[in-house]
């Protein structure tokens, strides 16, 4: 990998509680409950539904749009593990997630 490929420029601006950042050419607006942005994956996915079951590394959600969906928690993501660990069956939540290796990985959880 050459030196040019290793450089990343991140521009961040805060406007009345919203965070706008730019990774590369496309700007990203972080919602109030989002705490991360990922380079190369600008379009974060969100699924809203009711918690059906949780384990230490996964959460099953029943969504009106997608039916029963399983989301996995990255082993090294302490915040995501904590958030998923607080969920109870029947909780109404929105999960921010990204797809990698054919799985849906939790990036954040917002209760409703």
């Amino acid at each position: 990998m050459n030196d040019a490929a290793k450089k990343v420029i991140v521009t961040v601006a805060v406007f009345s509680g919203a965070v706008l950042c730019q990774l590369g050419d496309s700007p990203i607006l972080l919602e109030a409950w989002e705490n991360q942005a990922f380079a190369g994956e600008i379009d974060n996915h969100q699924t809203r539904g009711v918690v059906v079951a949780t384990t230490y590394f996964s959460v099953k959600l029943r969504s009106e749009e997608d039916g029963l969906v399983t989301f996995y928690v990255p082993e090294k993501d302490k915040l995501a593990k904590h958030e998923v660990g607080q969920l109870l069956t029947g909780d109404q939540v929105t999960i921010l997630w990204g797809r990698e290796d054919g799985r849906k990985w939790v990036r954040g959880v917002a209760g409703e």
Side-chain angles (χ1 to χ4, degrees):
M1 185 182 295
N2 62 33
D3 288 337
K6 294 179 185 177
K7 294 180 183 177
V8 175
I9 297 174
V10 178
T11 304
V12 178
V14 178
F15 300 102
S16 64
V19 177
L20 178 67
C21 63
Q22 186 165 343
L23 298 168
D25 296 330
S26 301
I28 302 168
L29 180 63
L30 296 177
E31 300 295 331
W33 60 277
E34 295 177 320
N35 58 11
Q36 301 178 52
F38 295 86
E41 296 184 29
I42 294 171
D43 58 333
N44 290 323
H45 303 280
Q46 294 184 24
T47 301
R48 183 173 178 243
V50 177
V51 175
V52 175
T54 61
T55 68
Y56 194 62
F57 291 109
S58 70
V59 58
K60 288 187 181 183
L61 204 69
R62 183 166 313 279
S63 165
E64 288 185 19
E65 301 88 32
D66 303 318
L68 189 62
V69 185
T70 301
F71 299 95
Y72 297 90
V73 182
E75 186 175 343
K76 295 182 180 181
D77 190 335
K78 291 180 182 181
L79 179 59
K81 283 197 291 190
H82 176 74
E83 290 174 337
V84 169
Q86 301 298 310
L87 297 177
L88 301 173
T89 301
D91 285 348
Q92 182 84 23
V93 297
T94 299
I95 295 185
L96 176 69
W97 58 275
R99 187 182 310 271
E100 186 177 324
D101 299 328
R103 289 188 169 184
K104 296 175 180 176
W105 294 93
V106 174
R107 292 188 180 155
V109 178
E112 300 185 15

